[in-house]
Amino acid sequence: MEPSRPPQSELPEFFLPDSTSPPPKKWLSNRVTNVLYCILFGLIIYAGLQQSKRQASPETFANASAQDLFLAGEDAYFGREHRPQNTGRAIALWELAATKGSLQAARSLAQLYENKELPEQSPGLAIHWYGRAAELGDSRAQRYVGDAFYSGEVAPRDHTKAMKMFRRCATKEAYCKTMWASLLLDNAPDDAAQKKALELLHQADDAGESNAQRMLAMAQLEGSLGMSKNTEKGLDQLFRSGYRDAKSQYLIGQYYEQGKYLRRNDSEAKAWYLKAAQNGHHDAVTALQKLCKSSADKDASCLTWREVQAKLHTS
């Protein structure tokens, strides 16, 4: 026979349920809710600190990382974090970031000045920041600076500095190999330099670099750079580069017009000049104007050229 359970009134006080305590399930629910509120409150505080950090004046970032400075600059430039766009602030932050080693910041500054987005745009400032990006290992920046020193258009001509840049980016870009070779050949090369230049041109050619293809084609046509003269191979190389290279297209047009290496053919000359002109070759434009000067000329290339010119005049 089971023992009878004592009445509730006879139970010790600590066995009696607390009328003020919530049921176990409700108590657990309240506990979870409180924890979630604490987490949410902490996240709000963290987000506020991050926002105030990014909106602080550039001087307050003395101890910030290069990446934090770059991101804060992006926020200012694009007007993020519910703030108005502020290009001046972005520049100040990116300059700090670039001096601390941020390649992204140096590249952003260089592109800003190169694209003339600022009223005080200066090619010198673009070169300065591309130079910083080049120091940090960016091959595109090294190529830009190399071209600038080689051409002398946006920086004083300096082939020594140009070669230094092209040598640095030659491990990543075939174009830099071609320009390095070109500089070697420009400076009265000895046998060793000529051999190195030819090696670089072949490497760039293997990568499909059209300038290298054109230079090798000319070497074969002329029998230079230690290569034996071979008209057939030279022309084949030149036509390969002519698929994309405006200079090669212009040369082919010249050869057809002059009957040099190729049988004279004015129609083919006009067609190749047209390709070069459409790719921005100024001498090809002059050549087309001369060959297509007669309005009675119904050659397809001349007709296309006149249509292009008419659209330019009416636009």
Side-chain angles (χ1 to χ4, degrees):
M1 182 176 180
E2 294 184 2
S4 61
R5 185 174 179 178
Q8 184 169 320
S9 58
E10 296 180 11
L11 290 173
E13 185 177 347
F14 59 80
F15 278 118
L16 295 176
D18 185 357
S19 60
T20 63
S21 300
K25 289 184 179 180
K26 186 176 180 181
W27 176 85
L28 181 61
S29 174
N30 289 342
R31 182 87 178 259
V32 171
T33 301
N34 290 336
V35 170
L36 290 175
Y37 277 138
C38 289
I39 294 173
L40 180 60
F41 184 67
L43 289 173
I44 292 172
I45 293 176
Y46 176 77
L49 289 173
Q50 290 298 105
Q51 182 171 348
S52 62
K53 180 180 177 182
R54 288 190 178 183
Q55 293 174 358
S57 63
E59 292 76 13
T60 64
F61 283 95
N63 298 319
S65 69
Q67 182 65 10
D68 283 342
L69 288 165
F70 169 70
L71 292 175
E74 277 206 325
D75 289 345
Y77 183 75
F78 292 107
R80 295 172 182 163
E81 303 290 347
H82 309 292
R83 304 282 290 186
Q85 185 179 7
N86 190 331
T87 304
R89 173 182 167 78
I91 290 173
L93 289 165
W94 282 340
E95 286 178 351
L96 283 172
T99 57
K100 288 192 171 190
S102 170
L103 172 57
Q104 294 168 300
R107 190 187 295 147
S108 296
L109 286 166
Q111 291 171 346
L112 199 64
Y113 287 112
E114 181 193 8
N115 296 335
K116 302 180 181 179
E117 295 183 31
L118 305 171
E120 67 276 15
Q121 17 88 12
S122 166
L125 288 171
I127 285 292
H128 172 78
W129 291 112
Y130 269 123
R132 179 58 179 155
E135 291 173 4
L136 294 170
D138 184 59
S139 62
R140 287 176 293 175
Q142 291 161 356
R143 171 175 172 166
Y144 180 94
V145 176
D147 276 335
F149 283 125
Y150 180 77
S151 66
E153 292 179 2
V154 293
R157 187 187 300 271
D158 190 327
H159 284 187
T160 300
K161 290 182 179 179
M163 183 177 288
K164 179 182 177 182
M165 285 296 158
F166 289 134
R167 289 185 67 170
R168 290 181 67 180
C169 63
T171 56
K172 295 181 180 178
E173 297 204 22
Y175 172 83
C176 296
K177 293 180 188 289
T178 302
M179 294 306 297
W180 179 7
S182 180
L183 283 166
L184 286 173
L185 296 172
D186 284 346
N187 298 317
D190 54 21
D191 289 343
Q194 184 171 286
K195 183 179 179 181
K196 179 63 178 177
L198 197 58
E199 176 189 337
L200 290 167
L201 288 175
H202 280 300
Q203 291 174 359
D205 177 25
D206 290 340
E209 211 284 305
S210 57
N211 292 290
Q213 291 171 346
R214 184 183 68 256
M215 292 176 70
L216 288 172
M218 298 304 298
Q220 288 180 315
L221 289 171
E222 298 169 355
S224 58
L225 298 184
M227 302 181 73
S228 56
K229 190 171 182 177
N230 190 318
T231 303
E232 183 179 352
K233 287 185 177 180
L235 287 174
D236 178 65
Q237 186 91 345
L238 187 62
F239 276 96
R240 279 203 298 135
S241 64
Y243 283 112
R244 292 174 297 173
D245 181 52
K247 292 180 180 179
S248 298
Q249 293 162 353
Y250 175 71
L251 281 174
I252 295 170
Q254 273 193 319
Y255 293 159
Y256 272 122
E257 183 186 6
Q258 299 169 1
K260 183 180 180 180
Y261 302 124
L262 293 164
R263 187 184 298 275
R264 180 167 181 169
N265 188 321
D266 284 351
S267 181
E268 285 290 341
K270 294 169 187 174
W272 284 98
Y273 282 146
L274 178 61
K275 290 180 181 180
Q278 289 173 328
N279 285 318
H281 199 288
H282 297 297
D283 290 338
V285 172
T286 303
L288 268 177
Q289 289 172 339
K290 183 185 74 171
L291 290 177
C292 299
K293 62 183 178 181
S294 172
S295 58
D297 191 336
K298 302 302 181 183
D299 184 272
S301 298
C302 289
L303 292 174
T304 302
W305 175 245
R306 292 191 193 103
E307 289 176 4
V308 171
Q309 293 299 297
K311 288 178 181 177
L312 289 174
H313 287 306
T314 57
S315 60

